[in-house]
Amino acid sequence: MESNKNFKILVTGGAGFIGSHVVRRFVTSYPDYSIVNLDKLTYAGNLENLRDIEKMPNYQFIKGDITNMTFVNALFKEHEFDAVIHLAAESHVDRSIQDPLSFVTTNVVGTVNILNAALATWKDHFENKLFYHISTDEVYGSLGESGYFTESTSYDPKSPYSASKAGSDHFVRSYENTYALPVVITNCSNNYGPYQFPEKLLPLMIHNIRNNKPLPVYGTGENIRDWLFVKDHADAIDLVFHSGKKGETYNIGGFNEWKNIDIVRLLCRIMDDKLHRQPGTSEKLIEFVKDRPGHDQRYAIDAAKISSELGWKPSVTFEQGLEITVDWYLENIAWLDHVTSGAYKTYYDSQYRNR
Ligand code: NAD
Ligand code: TYD
């Protein structure tokens, strides 16, 4: 996208973990842009993630559901967005195993609703318009001991979550092929960092270590993930939004593979130190529990394309990112307590009651 002072950008899912970092990044870096954050505020959406920027003049929050076609169409008519950065999704694999249909509804139907509304609004006037779809490396399935996911790796999703994300990616590409809608897709590896809901591995372990609760490691803990600091993902999204080539896919990864058990042990050591516990104290909390059904063995991204074509690379090492993350959770106990107690849900009412 050629940078344009008056861009009006719709960010969907901006009250979630990655979305809140993307919203903050765009609102603070581009004061001339208008950023509209559309979020249903499911259990994963939390406006406390955006308290520091919620009063900025170029930011607006709208509560709404991407699966509601009438609402989405009316929103696009009212706002005439120039671009969409689409993050809203159901994002947790374990929940998708319990309730696959809600993933189809949000991730596939919701995405098609947004695609249709963008298409109808832009009506073949696609110049300087962009539909940017945020996706995951999990669409590529599971790797063995060697190899990496590249942009040309065949899709082979293995969980209801990754199947629904793969479906949404296919729809996005089909709209480019069929209607010439200007699209770009990025597929990113596992993110970690501040504001992540504590049902995902790292914040769950940080929360449990702090509270001396068991640390549930699935199976033998040998599964491998490629971890990326969330702000580096937001940097990559900014870069692809402004400099990515329309119609292209870019993989984003941390060049940073870890076995789950090793990452949990590392966290235990860091937190023993931060909490002034005897070395080895937190590790005693580790419990190996029943494995996740169909648990993908290994994800690893080859991020050579975005590095060589757009010059992106992670800005922090894993050690630095993890330290920032642990410190953030320990300094933001109120945020974590609100999320785990459900109190964050009342924030919307108190914040928006009189608006
Ligand atoms: P998240 O679960 O923290 O946030 C999702 C947000 O979407 C929430 O704010 C939620 O309220 C909102 N939402 C859900 N259903 C909605 C609906 N029907 N209408 C409007 N809003 C709705 O997820 P996340 O981890 O921030 O992931 C964001 C995106 O990035 C997702 O598309 C996910 O697939 C993708 N992704 C995540 C990771 C990761 O490691 N977390 C990695 C790669 C890609
Ligand atoms: P998760 O954060 O759910 O991300 P994803 O499944 O999308 O990669 O899980 C990361 C890894 O950690 C995954 O291999 C499953 C494992 N895991 C556990 O061992 N225990 C847990 O309590 C959780 C939530 C995940």
Side-chain angles (χ1 to χ4, degrees):
M1 292 283 276
E2 238 171 74
S3 202
N4 176 336
K5 274 190 157 223
N6 303 313
F7 270 153
K8 190 164 202 183
I9 304 173
L10 174 68
V11 179
T12 70
F17 165 48
I18 300 171
S20 63
H21 288 276
V22 171
V23 165
R24 180 175 295 99
R25 167 95 196 189
F26 275 75
V27 165
T28 55
S29 303
Y30 305 103
D32 293 332
Y33 294 3
S34 304
I35 307 301
V36 176
N37 171 14
L38 164 63
D39 199 296
K40 184 183 172 185
L41 300 183
T42 66
Y43 78 95
N46 181 357
L47 288 175
E48 292 187 15
N49 297 356
L50 290 164
R51 263 193 174 162
D52 53 326
I53 59 112
E54 69 191 4
K55 301 233 156 47
M56 302 275 281
N58 61 337
Y59 171 71
Q60 184 184 357
F61 173 72
I62 294 174
K63 186 170 190 270
D65 187 340
I66 59 166
T67 70
N68 180 338
M69 189 172 67
T70 314
F71 162 76
V72 168
N73 289 340
L75 183 78
F76 272 74
K77 274 217 171 76
E78 188 190 335
H79 288 272
E80 296 188 358
F81 301 114
D82 299 293
V84 178
I85 306 178
H86 178 42
L87 297 109
E90 288 293 339
S91 69
H92 188 40
V93 174
D94 292 326
R95 284 179 190 256
S96 82
I97 294 167
Q98 284 176 15
D99 181 15
L101 201 54
S102 66
F103 282 65
V104 178
T105 308
T106 300
N107 298 358
V108 183
V109 178
T111 299
V112 175
N113 275 339
I114 306 279
L115 283 166
N116 281 339
L119 195 60
T121 308
W122 296 337
K123 291 192 195 81
D124 292 340
H125 297 295
F126 292 144
E127 204 183 320
N128 233 13
K129 301 283 188 282
L130 183 66
F131 188 102
Y132 182 173
H133 182 59
I134 306 297
S135 194
T136 166
D137 61 352
E138 302 189 27
V139 298
Y140 299 121
S142 178
L143 291 164
E145 276 178 20
S146 61
Y148 293 91
F149 298 134
T150 72
E151 288 78 2
S152 56
T153 302
S154 298
Y155 275 32
D156 187 18
K158 305 269 189 199
S159 73
Y161 164 64
S162 53
S164 69
K165 289 298 290 186
S168 68
D169 292 12
H170 289 318
F171 270 101
V172 173
R173 289 201 182 92
S174 80
Y175 273 58
E176 202 240 346
N177 181 63
T178 309
Y179 310 107
L181 190 76
V183 308
V184 69
I185 302 180
T186 47
N187 296 83
C188 188
S189 63
N190 286 61
N191 285 214
Y192 70 96
Y195 300 111
Q196 188 168 31
F197 195 82
E199 65 180 0
K200 303 276 172 74
L201 181 73
L202 272 108
L204 182 137
M205 294 297 169
I206 293 171
H207 178 64
N208 287 11
I209 292 171
R210 178 178 153 248
N211 292 299
N212 278 306
K213 283 167 64 179
L215 310 179
V217 174
Y218 297 167
T220 57
E222 299 290 310
N223 305 69
I224 293 172
R225 298 291 181 265
D226 171 2
W227 293 94
L228 178 69
F229 190 52
V230 63
K231 288 186 186 170
D232 283 328
H233 189 188
D235 276 1
I237 290 172
D238 184 347
L239 189 63
V240 170
F241 180 87
H242 289 100
S243 309
K245 225 168 119 198
K246 283 179 187 161
E248 292 289 319
T249 295
Y250 298 89
N251 282 355
I252 306 169
F255 307 98
N256 179 40
E257 292 181 52
W258 282 80
K259 281 185 188 163
N260 292 339
I261 185 64
D262 292 341
I263 226 171
V264 173
R265 289 201 172 113
L266 175 62
L267 261 185
C268 288
R269 284 198 293 278
I270 294 174
M271 296 222 16
D272 278 348
D273 184 44
K274 304 253 177 215
L275 298 170
H276 310 294
R277 291 180 181 167
Q278 285 284 5
T281 308
S282 301
E283 266 199 45
K284 295 197 186 108
L285 299 167
I286 293 175
E287 280 183 11
F288 292 95
V289 299
K290 192 164 171 276
D291 208 354
R292 171 187 281 172
H295 196 171
D296 286 343
Q297 178 53 37
R298 173 172 167 256
Y299 305 143
I301 281 276
D302 176 351
K305 179 175 170 180
I306 189 171
S307 291
S308 64
E309 290 186 14
L310 303 182
W312 175 85
K313 60 175 174 31
S315 69
V316 294
T317 64
F318 188 54
E319 287 68 22
Q320 290 167 330
L322 206 54
E323 175 106 18
I324 295 169
T325 303
V326 171
D327 286 345
W328 185 87
Y329 280 97
L330 293 178
E331 282 158 17
N332 289 274
I333 299 294
W335 181 91
L336 200 51
D337 287 346
H338 284 184
V339 171
T340 47
S341 70
Y344 70 107
K345 291 194 184 116
T346 59
Y347 179 70
Y348 174 81
D349 295 333
S350 65
Q351 180 65 15
Y352 288 88
R353 192 179 295 131
N354 300 319
R355 293 190 177 192

